Amino acid sequence: IGFSEKKLEEMQEKKTPVEYKAKLLNLETGGEESFESIQQFAFSGDGRHLILEAYPPKDSKTKGRDLIVRNLQTGATRNIGNVAEWKLNKKGDLLAYTIDADKKRGNGVELFNLATNQVATLASDTTAFLKLSWEKEGQALAFLQAIRDTGFTDPTHRVYAFKNLYLAPQKMVFDPSKQGVGSDSMRIKESYTPLWSRDL
């Protein structure tokens, strides 16, 4: 839910922050529910959950913001703080997200199983995690972790890859600084998004 052009002009003149709302409408009952300060939202693939992304706090030095997960069958709502990036798998029952907390305390990647309400920590450290990448069918997940390498001015990255996510996640880590792949002038950039082959 936004604002009229006239209202937007007034807010911009007064330098008032423009924050939109989201409204959830039940098509069977006609019931409505509004959520304040929502910049993005998505339904899970199975239509059972609504994911709402809030605006980041004012004067925040991190990319983290609140993520609201609403179970549309039970009405239960879960708030996850300091989320920098998030992605649902194709089926819509696994939600992966990165944590970017103040002073890097508690940074990491977590996996929320929406069907069982269980949360698993896939990685944690005081550095940044980014570029979540689901395999096409949502059976495997990969992401980057920023690491410092004295051979580079900018951060390089190691790659995490996880398979078998529903049972016991199988972790694989590729660290180019330790595995001697490529020349000394090559690094994994933050603009790179990992890709999965069809056979995983």
Side-chain angles (χ1 to χ4, degrees), residues 19-20 22 40 51 65 72 81 89 95-96 98 114 120 135 137 157 166 178 187 200:
E19 293 189 354
Y20 294 93
Q40 185 177 232
I51 317 297
R65 59 250 187 210
L72 298 177
N89 68 342
L95 171 66
T98 65
L114 299 177
E135 175 268 335
E137 297 301 321
H157 299 78
Y166 289 97
K178 295 180 179 178
R187 66 185 179 95
L200 302 183

Side-chain angles (χ1 to χ4, degrees), residues 3-194:
F3 304 92
S4 65
E5 289 187 19
K6 183 178 180 181
K7 183 65 176 178
L8 277 174
E9 290 176 2
E10 291 177 359
M11 295 172 76
Q12 289 169 353
E13 287 177 5
K14 296 178 181 178
K15 296 183 178 180
T16 303
V18 178
E19 293 189 354
Y20 294 93
K21 293 190 293 185
K23 180 177 285 187
L24 178 64
L25 170 63
N26 187 317
L27 297 179
E28 292 183 344
T29 66
E32 297 181 351
E33 185 175 1
S34 292
F35 300 87
E36 298 289 332
S37 301
I38 300 298
Q39 64 176 348
Q40 185 177 232
F41 65 88
F43 288 96
S44 60
D46 57 10
R48 296 182 178 182
H49 291 83
L50 174 63
I51 317 297
L52 300 142
E53 179 185 317
Y55 287 89
K58 294 177 178 64
D59 302 320
S60 174
K61 295 180 181 178
T62 73
K63 296 179 181 178
R65 59 250 187 210
D66 284 349
L67 197 67
I68 301 154
V69 182
R70 179 64 177 269
N71 186 316
L72 298 177
Q73 294 180 312
T74 66
T77 300
R78 182 177 191 140
N79 188 86
I80 306 169
N82 300 313
V83 174
E85 181 184 350
W86 59 276
K87 279 190 177 180
L88 284 160
N89 68 342
K90 181 179 179 179
K91 187 178 177 182
D93 60 347
L94 294 178
L95 171 66
Y97 52 89
T98 65
I99 301 293
D100 187 8
D102 185 37
K103 297 181 181 179
K104 307 298 181 184
R105 291 176 295 203
N107 279 13
V109 178
E110 295 181 348
L111 187 67
F112 183 13
N113 188 320
L114 299 177
T116 64
N117 278 325
Q118 292 182 321
V119 176
T121 299
L122 299 181
S124 62
D125 208 329
T126 55
T127 58
F129 293 87
L130 62 158
K131 296 292 181 177
L132 296 171
S133 177
W134 280 107
E135 175 268 335
K136 185 178 179 181
E137 297 301 321
Q139 301 297 313
L141 176 72
F143 52 85
L144 304 182
Q145 178 193 9
I147 56 174
R148 275 289 168 192
D149 188 327
T150 55
F152 300 100
T153 303
D154 298 318
T156 185
H157 299 78
R158 65 171 59 104
V159 183
Y160 283 79
F162 287 84
K163 297 192 293 185
N164 199 34
L165 294 170
Y166 289 97
L167 299 173
Q170 177 188 349
K171 180 174 74 172
M172 298 165 285
V173 182
F174 172 68
D175 189 335
S177 66
K178 295 180 179 178
Q179 289 168 282
V181 178
S183 69
D184 293 339
S185 62
M186 299 174 71
R187 66 185 179 95
I188 298 177
K189 294 185 66 175
E190 59 282 347
S191 58
Y192 170 72
T193 301

